[in-house]
Amino acid sequence: MVKILGWSNTVLVAIMTLMYPLKKYSLASSGEKKRGKNGKVLEMYKKLRKAHPDIGYVIITIGLIHGYLAVGFLKWHSGVLVLNTIIMMALSVILGQRIKRMKSNWCVVHKLLSIALILFIINHIFR
């Protein structure tokens, strides 16, 4: 069960990470929507964008259950870095939309944390 939860979360994080490339691929450099094949990609992006917050909460919940089943509660291991990074990503969005000074920077923080998250996941899987 622990491995199923861990790999499920890894797949969900991979799907969430696809948002940025999907957005870039589906929009023209001028900012206009491309037609044809890219229009379908844009539809996928819009659906994923709508589900993004809910999937994030699912990832946090599965991460907590996975960690508890794997090592118990309050034990330091590489998964704690992964889970803390995901929580910081959620907080960057929540606080970024409410705190005036963060309104223009929360997206950059969220993207930088996603890079750290990928590195921590790789470390967690192969450690």
Side-chain angles (χ1 to χ4, degrees), residues 9-68:
N9 248 7
T10 303
V11 169
L12 288 174
V13 168
I15 290 169
M16 297 275 274
T17 305
L18 286 175
M19 273 192 64
Y20 186 72
L22 282 176
K23 180 181 177 183
K24 289 298 179 187
Y25 182 75
S26 64
L27 299 177
S29 59
S30 65
E32 296 178 20
K33 297 175 186 172
K34 289 184 178 180
R35 303 273 183 225
K37 179 172 69 171
N38 293 348
K40 291 180 182 180
V41 175
L42 181 61
E43 286 178 37
M44 286 178 17
Y45 166 72
K46 286 181 178 181
K47 288 178 183 177
L48 184 58
R49 182 177 176 188
K50 187 176 180 180
H52 194 81
D54 295 330
I55 296 171
Y57 293 127
V58 169
I59 289 172
I60 291 171
T61 303
I62 291 174
L64 287 167
I65 296 167
H66 167 73
Y68 179 75

Side-chain angles (χ1 to χ4, degrees), residues 1-10 12-13 58-75 77-83 86 120-121 124-127:
M1 183 64 150
V2 172
K3 284 189 177 191
I4 292 170
L5 291 172
W7 284 109
S8 296
N9 248 7
T10 303
L12 288 174
V13 168
V58 169
I59 289 172
I60 291 171
T61 303
I62 291 174
L64 287 167
I65 296 167
H66 167 73
Y68 179 75
L69 292 176
V71 296
F73 193 65
L74 295 176
K75 290 193 178 181
H77 54 90
S78 59
V80 173
L81 290 173
V82 173
L83 187 59
I86 293 169
F120 289 147
I121 288 173
H124 182 61
I125 290 171
F126 294 109
R127 189 167 183 200

Side-chain angles (χ1 to χ4, degrees), residues 102-122:
M102 283 186 67
K103 283 196 187 241
S104 61
N105 296 327
W106 74 263
C107 195
V108 174
V109 172
H110 195 73
K111 287 177 187 175
L112 290 173
L113 286 170
S114 70
I115 294 167
L117 176 63
I118 292 167
L119 295 174
F120 289 147
I121 288 173
I122 292 168

